[in-house]
Amino acid sequence: MNVVVIGSGGREHAIVWKLSQSKKIGNIFCIPGNGGIEDIAACYDIKVNDFEGLISFSKKNNVDLVVVGPENPLADGIVDAFTEAGIPIFGPTKNAARIEASKIFAKELMKKYGVPTGDFKTFFDYHEAKAYLKKISPPYVIKADGLCAGKGAYVIKESEKGFSTLEDLMINHIHGDAGKRIIVEEFLSGIEASYLSFTDGITTLPMIASQDHKPLLDEDKGPNTGGMGAYAPIPFIDSDMARFIDTEIMDKTINALKVEGALYRGVLYAGLMLKDKKPYVIEFNARFGDPEAQPLLFKMESDILPILIACIEGNLKDIKEIKWKEGVSICVVIASRGYPDKPEKGYVIKGLEDLKDRKDIMVFHAGTKKEGDKFYTSGGRVLGVTAMGDTFKDAIKKAYDAVNSIYFEGMQFRKDIGAKALKVIGE
Ligand code: AMP
Ligand code: GLY
């Protein structure tokens, strides 16, 4: 089977890497890809919103399957375009991808169908929103309705910040049209978890739960980022809670979308807050998480290709479970100086060669560029150093030993990825 993967991050490197081990894989293409992906797939620089260009490339190269990494092309209708052209594609349609592309759509769906989530109010008008904020006291969360590359949620701890955020979104339009409509949401405190399931629109097939680290700095300080590291499994969700999430969140949401005429196929990602041992949805994403995809796919034992195809063909119920390698998988993201605001680029990356043949370590590339046989930084998040170990302690040590053997000018990374798990299990 010839496959195209769309995207250029660590998530896409992990998808390409996992596909490359599949029994039935033929040629793998990645558009646009990155320096690391180039080593295992042919990369082509076509714009990911140029659907016509992508479709004609896929036809020319006898592509049997397209896998979409990021949210923007999904929200723009890439799945609808390929489906119309008769090329199988993994991901939700534009209509179904609203679960991520519109927070208002997602919240209203959850409310209507009884999926556990925080209380919220929707506003289309700045003055009405301001009058509401005057009546409530922090903490609360303000969210832009549309896609903002992970930067559209503001946890408000002081009233003044609430008013200025509202102004930024609804008057100054710092996120353009995405912030024209907003929600004000109840603040939920607890432990965050990422729960991803494959689905064909009818059945869901869960992956193991993982945990992202969104803030830039240790102890969850600093600005929010795309994610600075992740690991799986996590010790905060036992099998009873996982079954509750499967039925009361994932199945219920998939069924709700079907009833609403928006059959959802692909990966559904629930960002959860575990509060008093109960899970609440704080957001849905219409795709694999990044970095979560890196530790998850590194740990996945099952062949991914039949799962992707079953989602598209609507017979996911025939796949009973996903097999996982024993142990803990952890990914530490190394980012450029200046990330997330203004990442510096163009520095040579050293130390990758020695990690190349390790079975227990995989360095997934994100913002890298290959020139000759050298890799250079070319983005905010640069590498996802991913390790498998027998225990949390072992996996964490392996990942950080590998991180410390890599160098580029201005590299920054969190030193506490996995620390929350260690604390709970007392290793
Ligand atoms: P989101 O873009 O919705 O994932 O939000 C980004 C981050 O904001 C989340 O990872 C949480 O840390 C935080 N957050 C979002 N919604 C809430 C909420 N209702 N209560 C507390 N924290 C939240
Ligand atoms: N890791 C967060 C995301 O993929 O949205």
Side-chain angles (χ1 to χ4, degrees), residues 212 214 226 269 285 287 289-292:
D212 188 11
K214 286 206 173 101
Y269 163 151
N285 292 321
R287 50 174 174 79
D290 193 359
E292 291 94 324

Side-chain angles (χ1 to χ4, degrees), residues 390-411:
D390 293 337
T391 60
F392 279 98
K393 213 168 155 185
D394 182 34
I396 291 169
K397 180 170 183 337
K398 277 186 181 170
Y400 278 104
D401 282 350
V403 166
N404 287 320
S405 71
I406 294 171
Y407 177 79
F408 61 84
E409 173 69 31
M411 66 188 255

Side-chain angles (χ1 to χ4, degrees), residues 341-360:
D341 294 333
K342 266 199 183 158
E344 292 178 14
K345 301 171 193 177
Y347 296 114
V348 70
I349 307 170
K350 294 185 185 144
L352 294 174
E353 197 57 34
D354 291 344
L355 297 167
K356 230 177 157 182
D357 298 319
R358 290 272 299 269
K359 281 246 165 334
D360 53 349

Side-chain angles (χ1 to χ4, degrees), residues 63-119:
V63 166
D64 305 291
L65 170 69
V66 179
V67 184
V68 187
E71 60 274 24
N72 288 93
L74 293 169
D76 290 344
I78 192 169
V79 170
D80 310 65
F82 270 84
T83 306
E84 203 163 292
I87 302 169
I89 180 162
F90 179 82
T93 59
K94 180 174 181 162
N95 198 18
R98 281 183 300 159
I99 194 89
E100 173 168 6
S102 168
K103 300 241 187 219
I104 295 175
F105 172 78
K107 291 292 283 190
E108 274 167 3
L109 190 84
M110 286 189 265
K111 191 168 155 192
K112 182 169 170 187
Y113 289 86
V115 175
T117 189
D119 284 342

Side-chain angles (χ1 to χ4, degrees), residues 41-339:
C43 297
Y44 290 88
D45 203 6
I46 305 171
K47 294 266 168 298
V48 300
N49 57 3
D50 173 11
F51 298 163
E52 251 173 58
L54 294 171
I55 288 169
S56 97
F57 173 89
S58 303
K59 285 187 173 158
K60 228 179 281 162
N61 290 284
N62 299 316
V63 166
D64 305 291
L65 170 69
V66 179
V67 184
V68 187
E71 60 274 24
N72 288 93
L74 293 169
D76 290 344
I78 192 169
V79 170
D80 310 65
F82 270 84
T83 306
E84 203 163 292
I87 302 169
I89 180 162
F90 179 82
T93 59
K94 180 174 181 162
N95 198 18
R98 281 183 300 159
I99 194 89
E100 173 168 6
S102 168
K103 300 241 187 219
I104 295 175
F105 172 78
K107 291 292 283 190
E108 274 167 3
L109 190 84
M110 286 189 265
K111 191 168 155 192
K112 182 169 170 187
Y113 289 86
V115 175
T117 189
D119 284 342
F120 70 102
K121 275 206 175 320
T122 301
F123 294 96
F124 296 54
D125 178 77
Y126 168 75
H127 299 286
E128 279 177 27
K130 192 169 172 186
Y132 178 69
L133 291 194
K134 279 188 183 155
K135 284 194 281 186
I136 60 170
S137 30
Y140 53 79
V141 187
I142 300 181
K143 293 183 180 179
D145 178 47
L147 292 178
C148 301
K151 292 178 193 133
Y154 299 85
V155 176
I156 305 298
K157 302 251 163 87
E158 298 136 28
S159 291
E160 274 321 302
K161 188 77 190 147
F163 295 122
S164 65
T165 301
L166 200 61
E167 212 172 299
D168 280 346
L169 290 172
M170 298 188 93
I171 304 280
N172 303 330
H173 299 301
I174 58 163
H175 294 305
D177 284 353
K180 272 192 168 163
R181 308 195 301 167
I182 60 140
I183 57 174
V184 180
E185 190 176 299
E186 172 191 1
F187 175 81
L188 298 166
S189 71
I191 296 169
E192 284 187 59
S194 304
Y195 202 89
L196 285 72
S197 297
F198 290 101
T199 179
D200 61 358
I202 311 283
T203 307
T204 64
L205 179 65
M207 291 178 235
I208 49 173
S210 54
Q211 187 176 54
D212 188 11
H213 297 66
K214 286 206 173 101
L216 180 70
L217 306 173
D218 286 6
E219 293 174 16
D220 291 336
K221 302 225 161 74
N224 260 350
T225 69
M228 294 298 290
Y231 62 91
I234 56 173
F236 316 107
I237 294 182
D238 61 15
S239 57
D240 284 349
M241 198 198 284
R243 294 301 76 79
F244 178 87
I245 296 167
D246 289 337
T247 55
E248 296 305 310
I249 295 179
M250 309 311 272
D251 289 351
K252 219 182 224 183
T253 302
I254 289 304
N255 187 54
L257 284 160
K258 182 167 137 264
V259 172
E260 296 290 323
L263 191 82
Y264 186 106
R265 290 183 161 155
V267 168
L268 180 66
Y269 163 151
L272 302 175
M273 189 67 84
L274 311 177
K275 186 183 171 214
D276 305 327
K277 303 231 156 105
K278 285 208 194 91
Y280 296 84
V281 177
I282 53 175
E283 65 163 351
F284 278 119
N285 292 321
R287 50 174 174 79
F288 281 106
D290 193 359
E292 291 94 324
Q294 300 176 57
L296 283 174
L297 297 180
F298 196 45
K299 186 170 158 61
M300 191 183 284
E301 175 91 54
S302 298
D303 190 340
I304 196 172
L305 197 50
I307 302 175
L308 302 180
I309 293 166
C311 289
I312 296 173
E313 293 184 346
N315 46 22
L316 190 62
K317 66 172 181 337
D318 296 341
I319 298 182
K320 296 291 172 238
E321 58 164 4
I322 300 173
K323 292 207 165 55
W324 300 94
K325 292 173 193 147
E326 288 291 318
V328 174
S329 184
I330 168 167
C331 167
V332 178
V333 170
I334 310 184
S336 297
R337 184 160 56 210
Y339 177 72

